[in-house]
Amino acid sequence: MNASVVTPIGAPVRRKEDHRFITGKGRYTDDLSRPGQAHAYFLRSPYAHARIRAIDTSAAIDMPGVVAVLTGKDLAQDGLGGLICGWMIHSKDGSPMNAGAHPALALDTVRYVGDHVAVIIAETLNAAKDAAAAVVVDYEILPAVADLAQAQAEGGPVIHDVAPRNTVFEWELGDKAGTEAAFARAAHVTAIDIVNNRLAPNPMEPRAAIGDYDAGDDAFTLWTTSQNPHVARLVLSAFVGLAPENKLRVIAPDVGGGFGSKIFIYAEETVCAWASKRVGRPVKWTCERGEAFLCDAHGRDHITRGELALDGEGRILGFRVKTTANMGAYLSTFSSCVPTYLYATLLSGQYAIPAIYCEVDAVYTNTAPVDAYRGAGRPEATFLVERIIDKAARELGMDPAEMRRRNFVTAFPHQTPVIMCYDAGDYGASLDKALALADYTGFPARKAEAERRGRLRGIGLSAYIEACGIAPSAAVGSLGAGVGLWESAEVRVNPTGNVEVLTGSHSHGQGHETTFAQLVSARLGIPIDQVSVVHGDTDKVQFGMGTYGSRSGAVGMSAIVKALDKVEAKAKKIAAHVLEASEGDIEFKDGRFTVAGTDRGLAFAEVALNAYVAHKFPTSEIEPGLKEGAFYDPSNFTFPAGCHVCELEVDPETGVTQIVNWVAVDDFGTVINPMIVEGQVHGGIAQGVGQALMERVAYDNDGQLVTGSYMDYQMPRAEDLPSFTLGLTETRCPSNPLGMKGCGEAGAIAAPPAVINALTDALGTQDISMPATPAKLWAVAQARVTRRAAE
Amino acid sequence: MYAFDYQRPSFSQDAVSMMRSLEEPKLLAGGQTLLPTLKQRLAQPGTLVDLSRIPDLSGISVAGDVLRIGAMTRHAEVATSDLVHAHSPALAELAGMIGDPAVRNRGTIGGSLANNDPSADYPAAALALGATLVTDRRRLAASDFFRGLFETALEEDELILAVEFPKSGPAAYRKFRNPASRYAMAGVFVVRGADGVRVAVTGVGQEGVFRWKEAEAALTARFAPDALEGIALDPHTAMSDLHGDGAYRAQLTKVMARRAVEAIGG
Ligand SMILES: Cc1cc2nc3c(=O)[nH]c(=O)nc-3n(C[C@H](O)[C@H](O)[C@H](O)COP(=O)(O)OP(=O)(O)OC[C@H]3O[C@@H](n4cnc5c(N)ncnc54)[C@H](O)[C@@H]3O)c2cc1C
């Protein structure tokens, strides 16, 4: 679609930002340089757990090109506080979580391999690395625990003194007694044990930062790879104590993917900003891929037992869950809410479940911190729900599709036993459409045909739901959040009628420059190339909460709509004066303000010009100019949902899985740009397939990272995936003006159980864990042969 | 990277004399293994001697029954060369299975063989096809060249000039890629020669590339996919890691061997 046209909602407008990216004109943090900048390199702990007896930096400081070597003592000396976790969770007994201190540079203890020991700042990165080798650290190695299953053992290593048995909290949600009662009258109980594998986020662009202190203004600027620059500024100001907000500007320029990992406030970015004042020069750091594996917050990492109570007809009576969640060595910025309020609140899935009770122990280990990763808690919940319902169906001899249908929520709003109130949806419709597109009834014939070729074919469903549009501020506040989760927007109409939209959302691959502009183009009736989207700079956008949790559409665009409402209202007033009509008679349509019932009218740009010229309306009543801002706080979460169907074949000789068909039917509410939405779904499915079949962060018993590069950490490749068949169903979200639900995480949430359910179908056993690697599946296929022979 | 000096000779004799005269020299071919090692500061050479501008080190030619591939010939050239396709199609196919396009456009046959990674592809072809490595001072049979993990018969300052492949009977290479790295988890090169069948295996052996004698005997007796049915590689001799244990690699070896035999046609 041409850029100089008005772009209606629902049109597959080409991404405006792609020309810049494809031609290499993107401006990422590492592309930027500041005059006189020095380079930072972080000396990291080679041990998973050790006491630091002493750090001798004297030899390093004398190395050529070295500007400074700084440690945690220097940070503390300057009065800087540690990194924080912004969500308070209370244990069952009412006690607050046991959060250990999290200094940006270690003080006396290192707690995981990669933990930050010192920063070396030098003229070149190489000089900094040379000097790092000359820093002498006297470590007393301590016993470490990297394995989640061992972390709470009595008498084991203690990672933070404040957390006995390494337990951060023992949290619960739901109705324990009611759930027990459901189990007491159950005709059948299905139990499942699940390991939700630990993942490395792997954005294409690694993290980077440039800290730049201006002594003249006594002010800092931090360029960094952030999904939420204002939150970074808030944390660095209010908690770390770097500088007040008016003296700290955070800029997140082009950012190449985040998947959650760039929400958090990390040590390196903090240190670069602080050190720029210490050394009086800009300080730049770019993460290497190996460092990213070590230190970017990982995702998932749960061990769970789930039990489902069913009546004689396959109706769910109750659901009981016990999860142990790995937090790593420190609580990262939002880590505590991920295995709690973003997880247990989704345990009802798409189903009417009368009673749910969930317990979650959050546990420290000597591993990298774990925090939100695409989906954050909701993939873990969905995997559990969709695996156990599938297992139950097979135990009861029911068709998994029928089992789901029988338990669907069908009336809305629906209050689940775990906080969420689903506002709208049609789960039967997405299931039906997915089954039709997947030719579900034709599957047995395809399976038989594959069998003749020596392939084991399986089909698996995943009827997922997620809570997006994060989130109503008062609601999350009551659950422990330290911040509100509204969004802000400002619409600045220039005198000649083109528009700048300032948003607190941040695009790092989502295409906001297109989608947001498309919305404004459609609403104001002006060509999309006359709309620019401004984001990612705390000096330009007043405040914003950033992009994660599929919130930029439902929350960020709702704020834009609110601002547009105000712009239109004011423009109507001005048009009325110019057209010498009464305000009530002014209509706005297709970019024109007209007097109802006449052919008199003004184009949007003419009204804009009048607003700034201010000759034709009383400025005592109407201020000159056309610029409006709005803050939008959602009244509910949104609930994207849908059904994915995965069909695959396993080669029993090698254990290789080939996904042969993938159907995704999603209900995202209103879709602004279907092309961008499809891209989001594709990427999400790829990441979900990665989790199901390939990806896994592994530590050995000493806490050394085994999967520290792409030589050992497998990412999905194009050839691992089929062409997806996508379909949409639509129920509008009633709580926001556009009816949007969000689509950024759906694929990553839906995909893992679809794959594993298909594998269990292919191999005839429930005993398949993620990642289902070829080696693992070969062993399963071998066992199947042995089992068959015995039968 | 640590700092190093850099030389780019135009003649192979100069490269050899630099290897003799300079402090801690290191040959640089495609850099696909060496540069990552340098970047991670796992090696600290004094001088890199870049072979990329020595014309007579690259190129493909056939003389009589012998296919000669210059040491600096890139994998991509081998994969697409008409001469290689005519002389030894399985070798061309193997070269096309190495890494990804970027790696194939930089990596060289000389660098790969000198490196002798236990999961590299070329060593299987060299061993199965009975290649000869031509160096600045001698000719080495492939069977004498590979000496264990990352170990070869090369002397410190010795330069591979070219690799010669004799004309062989029908051959095929089947590779099971390591899911993460794409190197071989089990790569099996089968040659049906006049004097018997040769089966070379890479990615599996704890000592690097090896000939699977048991399979050779079985296939020499009867060249058919099911001739391998009764035999198995000892899992204890196979590498074991995150991606698969010895039993799995032994299985893959057998399956790849059978598929190579099927490709040749019984
Ligand atoms: C992402 C990736 C994937 C890969 N996948 C595969 C794969 O699937 N299969 C596979 O087989 N390989 C694979 N490789 C390795 C690649 O194919 C190269 O062949 C290999 O790295 C070595 O060749 P090079 O030309 O890059 O040598 P370099 O890295 O330049 O050198 C390697 C070593 O050989 C020495 N050397 C180089 N040339 C000579 C010579 N003429 N005489 C004596 N010594 C010499 C050097 O001094 C050095 O010690 C992969 C590499 C990468 C980076």
Side-chain angles (χ1 to χ4, degrees):
Chain A
M1 187 163 296
N2 193 313
S4 57
V5 298
V6 175
T7 52
I9 285 178
V13 180
R14 286 244 184 111
R15 287 177 22 126
K16 292 175 75 173
E17 48 270 77
D18 279 348
H19 187 266
R20 174 166 98 248
F21 293 141
I22 289 169
T23 56
K25 299 283 193 311
R27 284 292 199 91
Y28 298 89
T29 300
D30 188 55
D31 294 327
L32 307 172
S33 287
R34 301 297 299 160
Q37 78 188 4
H39 297 266
Y41 178 71
F42 285 83
L43 180 66
R44 299 176 184 281
S45 171
Y47 304 112
H49 199 192
R51 187 149 297 129
I52 298 177
R53 289 205 201 92
I55 304 178
D56 181 357
T57 60
S58 54
I61 287 173
D62 289 339
M63 302 268 292
V66 172
V67 176
V69 182
L70 304 171
T71 68
K73 285 211 180 82
D74 300 306
L75 257 177
Q77 210 174 55
D78 283 1
L80 264 75
L83 304 175
I84 57 147
C85 176
W87 198 302
M88 172 53 74
I89 299 292
H90 288 85
S91 282
K92 291 171 210 171
D93 65 6
S95 59
M97 66 187 183
N98 302 317
H102 187 182
L105 295 173
L107 280 170
D108 49 13
T109 310
V110 283
R111 295 184 172 86
Y112 68 100
V113 173
D115 205 352
H116 314 73
V117 177
V119 62
I120 297 90
I121 299 165
E123 298 297 339
T124 64
L125 181 59
N126 248 333
K129 285 186 178 182
D130 287 344
V135 176
V136 183
V137 187
D138 182 5
Y139 290 108
E140 174 192 343
I141 299 170
L142 302 173
V145 57
D147 180 3
L148 177 56
Q150 305 297 318
Q152 289 176 293
E154 280 306 340
V158 174
I159 297 167
H160 292 274
D161 290 337
V162 297
R165 290 176 50 248
N166 295 320
T167 305
V168 183
F169 53 76
E170 292 170 316
W171 176 85
E172 66 180 352
L173 184 68
D175 175 2
K176 186 174 185 182
T179 307
E180 298 305 329
F183 276 84
R185 61 171 199 281
H188 181 83
V189 173
T190 293
I192 197 164
D193 290 300
I194 277 173
V195 174
N196 205 292
N197 42 326
R198 185 182 183 112
L199 305 174
N202 283 307
M204 206 180 285
E205 178 208 22
R207 287 189 291 129
I210 307 174
D212 191 354
Y213 174 73
D214 181 331
D217 290 343
D218 186 27
F220 293 87
T221 304
L222 174 65
W223 284 264
T224 187
T225 48
S226 176
Q227 301 180 213
N228 44 350
H230 292 87
V231 176
R233 184 180 66 164
L234 178 66
V235 170
L236 289 173
S237 292
F239 299 96
V240 178
L242 178 69
E245 282 165 284
N246 61 322
K247 294 289 184 186
L248 172 58
R249 175 182 185 184
V250 178
I251 303 173
D254 283 332
V255 174
F259 309 120
S261 71
K262 292 173 182 166
I263 299 172
F264 322 123
I265 318 308
Y266 289 90
E268 292 89 348
E269 291 86 330
T270 305
V271 167
C272 283
W274 161 72
S276 68
K277 180 175 181 182
R278 237 353 246 222
V279 304
R281 293 173 61 174
V283 175
K284 180 171 183 174
W285 170 77
T286 301
C287 188
E288 295 184 2
R289 188 58 69 180
E291 294 181 288
F293 274 111
L294 283 176
C295 293
D296 284 6
H298 293 159
R300 321 280 192 255
D301 207 349
H302 288 190
I303 298 175
T304 295
R305 176 156 184 92
E307 292 165 291
L308 202 61
L310 299 137
D311 72 7
E313 274 80 53
R315 279 192 194 80
I316 302 170
L317 302 173
F319 190 21
R320 189 159 58 195
V321 175
K322 172 77 211 253
T323 290
T324 311
N326 197 344
M327 310 307 284
Y330 300 98
L331 295 185
S332 171
T333 318
F334 288 110
S335 56
S336 54
C337 71
V338 176
T340 49
Y341 291 109
L342 292 179
Y343 168 67
T345 53
L346 270 300
L347 286 173
S348 200
Q350 297 187 351
Y351 312 110
I353 303 182
I356 297 176
Y357 178 64
C358 176
E359 295 174 279
V360 178
D361 285 5
V363 170
Y364 281 125
T365 59
N366 293 112
T367 63
V370 178
D371 206 322
Y373 169 66
R374 201 170 192 171
R378 291 151 294 173
E380 295 90 315
T382 300
F383 188 71
L384 172 62
V385 171
E386 288 305 290
R387 282 290 297 119
I388 199 166
I389 196 163
D390 222 71
K391 187 172 184 215
R394 286 174 205 276
E395 286 175 1
L396 295 173
M398 276 175 72
D399 173 28
E402 175 52 28
M403 174 87 187
R404 285 174 169 83
R405 206 186 308 275
R406 195 164 289 186
N407 287 284
F408 276 156
V409 170
T410 51
F412 296 88
H414 173 82
Q415 178 63 53
T416 73
V418 278
I419 299 180
M420 292 299 172
C421 183
Y422 300 167
D423 51 7
D426 187 344
Y427 309 139
S430 50
L431 176 70
D432 289 343
K433 188 165 177 181
L435 295 180
L437 287 172
D439 184 20
Y440 190 66
T441 48
F443 174 73
R446 298 194 293 278
K447 187 179 177 79
E449 184 276 332
E451 186 111 38
R452 289 195 287 277
R453 285 184 282 112
R455 294 287 188 275
L456 306 173
R457 194 163 174 126
I459 195 164
L461 306 182
S462 171
Y464 75 96
I465 187 165
E466 48 172 332
C468 293
I470 289 174
S473 296
V476 294
S478 74
L479 303 178
V483 290
L485 288 166
W486 43 265
E487 196 47 86
S488 82
E490 196 177 309
V491 173
R492 294 184 185 167
V493 181
N494 294 320
T496 52
N498 47 55
V499 173
E500 282 146 7
V501 183
L502 285 72
T503 170
S505 301
H506 184 277
S507 186
H508 34 279
Q510 293 87 346
H512 295 172
E513 287 172 48
T514 306
T515 321
F516 289 13
Q518 188 173 350
L519 168 69
V520 175
S521 166
R523 174 70 183 267
L524 300 180
I526 59 176
I528 190 168
D529 60 1
Q530 291 185 22
V531 184
S532 299
V533 176
V534 177
H535 66 111
D537 184 341
T538 60
D539 264 13
K540 292 182 179 163
V541 179
Q542 189 226 332
F543 207 90
M545 294 310 297
T547 288
Y548 40 83
S550 303
R551 67 191 303 277
S552 300
V555 189
M557 290 177 92
S558 295
I560 297 173
V561 169
K562 261 185 98 173
L564 285 168
D565 289 345
K566 295 184 191 177
V567 165
E568 184 181 320
K570 182 170 178 185
K572 270 185 178 162
K573 282 199 175 78
I574 293 168
H577 281 281
V578 177
L579 294 166
E580 296 173 335
S582 98
E583 193 191 326
D585 288 341
I586 302 292
E587 288 173 351
F588 181 54
K589 211 177 148 234
D590 298 334
R592 279 186 74 76
F593 294 88
T594 50
V595 182
T598 76
D599 58 359
R600 287 189 303 128
L602 289 170
F604 178 76
E606 291 175 288
V607 177
L609 190 61
N610 269 288
Y612 285 92
V613 173
H615 290 169
K616 296 191 176 162
F617 54 90
T619 52
S620 56
E621 279 170 38
I622 305 169
E623 290 175 16
L626 196 51
K627 179 191 93 165
E628 298 290 341
F631 285 71
Y632 171 81
D633 193 39
S635 58
N636 192 0
F637 290 84
T638 65
F639 299 96
C643 182
H644 287 212
V645 183
C646 168
E647 192 163 332
L648 49 74
E649 291 184 1
V650 177
D651 175 355
E653 282 190 338
T654 58
V656 169
T657 298
Q658 194 194 352
I659 297 175
V660 293
N661 194 23
W662 195 287
V663 171
V665 175
D666 299 294
D667 178 356
F668 298 137
T670 305
V671 169
I672 308 286
N673 184 325
M675 187 192 69
I676 286 182
V677 167
E678 285 181 12
Q680 290 286 316
V681 174
H682 286 191
I685 294 171
Q687 273 175 315
V689 168
Q691 166 159 34
L693 295 177
M694 306 162 197
E695 298 185 45
R696 169 194 171 208
V697 173
Y699 287 91
D700 70 12
N701 288 337
D702 297 326
Q704 293 292 335
L705 181 65
V706 180
T707 48
S709 81
Y710 293 125
M711 295 298 282
D712 288 307
Y713 190 92
Q714 186 193 357
M715 296 285 286
R717 294 175 164 89
E719 68 169 34
D720 297 320
L721 301 160
S723 258
F724 306 119
T725 305
L726 305 189
L728 291 171
T729 57
E730 185 179 318
T731 59
R732 275 179 70 91
C733 172
S735 72
N736 62 55
L738 291 166
M740 295 177 72
K741 298 183 178 180
C743 65
E745 297 152 298
I749 293 171
V755 174
I756 301 298
N757 287 337
L759 285 172
T760 63
D761 184 46
L763 291 155
T765 169
Q766 288 293 320
D767 203 11
I768 294 172
S769 63
M770 299 193 291
T773 60
K776 237 187 232 177
L777 292 180
W778 173 69
V780 171
Q782 284 290 102
R784 177 177 176 272
V785 172
T786 320
R787 204 171 57 237
R788 292 237 161 150
E791 274 164 14
Chain B
M1 276 189 203
Y2 295 109
F4 54 80
D5 289 333
Y6 176 79
Q7 293 286 346
R8 197 171 63 196
S10 304
F11 302 98
S12 46
Q13 305 89 290
D14 292 349
V16 173
S17 58
M18 284 172 187
M19 291 304 288
R20 292 203 176 138
S21 58
L22 297 171
E23 288 273 312
E24 309 261 355
K26 189 86 186 152
L27 295 171
L28 173 67
Q32 296 303 291
T33 296
L34 186 52
L35 292 185
T37 315
L38 295 182
K39 281 186 179 173
Q40 290 174 55
R41 300 187 155 227
L42 296 173
Q44 191 170 9
T47 304
L48 285 192
V49 180
D50 184 350
L51 301 176
S52 64
R53 297 293 169 87
I54 302 177
D56 55 342
L57 279 187
S58 55
I60 299 166
S61 59
V62 174
D65 260 0
V66 175
L67 173 75
R68 183 185 164 99
I69 302 179
M72 281 301 292
T73 311
R74 318 279 173 180
H75 309 329
E77 288 173 64
V78 176
T80 54
S81 153
D82 290 340
L83 284 179
V84 180
H85 273 277
H87 185 277
S88 188
L91 183 63
E93 199 186 350
L94 173 147
M97 291 184 208
I98 296 173
D100 52 48
V103 169
R104 290 196 290 276
N105 281 315
R106 294 298 307 166
T108 67
I109 190 168
S112 177
L113 291 171
N115 196 47
N116 193 19
D117 187 304
S119 302
D121 297 297
Y122 272 131
L127 200 56
L129 292 169
T132 300
L133 288 98
V134 183
T135 79
D136 63 291
R137 65 202 63 168
R138 55 184 166 157
R139 296 172 61 83
L140 279 159
S143 53
D144 297 327
F145 180 79
F146 302 110
R147 295 275 172 89
L149 302 183
F150 300 100
E151 294 285 331
T152 69
L154 286 178
E155 286 168 25
E156 281 291 305
D157 57 359
E158 193 167 1
L159 175 67
I160 302 174
L161 301 176
V163 193
E164 294 180 352
F165 294 91
K167 185 90 194 154
S168 77
Y173 181 63
R174 285 296 174 268
K175 172 182 183 179
F176 189 90
R177 291 185 165 93
N178 176 306
S181 75
R182 301 298 211 65
Y183 277 81
M185 273 262 294
V188 183
F189 203 108
V190 177
V191 186
R192 186 177 190 187
D195 53 348
V197 175
R198 283 175 172 236
V199 180
V201 180
T202 187
V204 176
Q206 289 169 1
E207 299 298 320
V209 66
F210 67 94
R211 277 174 62 186
W212 187 13
K213 293 286 166 70
E214 214 183 337
E216 290 183 353
L219 290 167
T220 301
R222 188 169 64 89
F223 195 83
D226 62 3
L228 293 167
E229 234 151 56
I231 64 168
L233 199 69
D234 179 1
H236 301 289
T237 65
M239 287 193 280
S240 173
D241 60 21
L242 193 71
H243 304 284
D245 60 10
Y248 182 56
R249 277 194 169 76
Q251 161 75 9
L252 291 179
T253 306
K254 187 163 161 173
V255 174
M256 293 304 115
R258 201 197 65 223
R259 290 181 185 177
V261 170
E262 280 165 358
I264 293 169

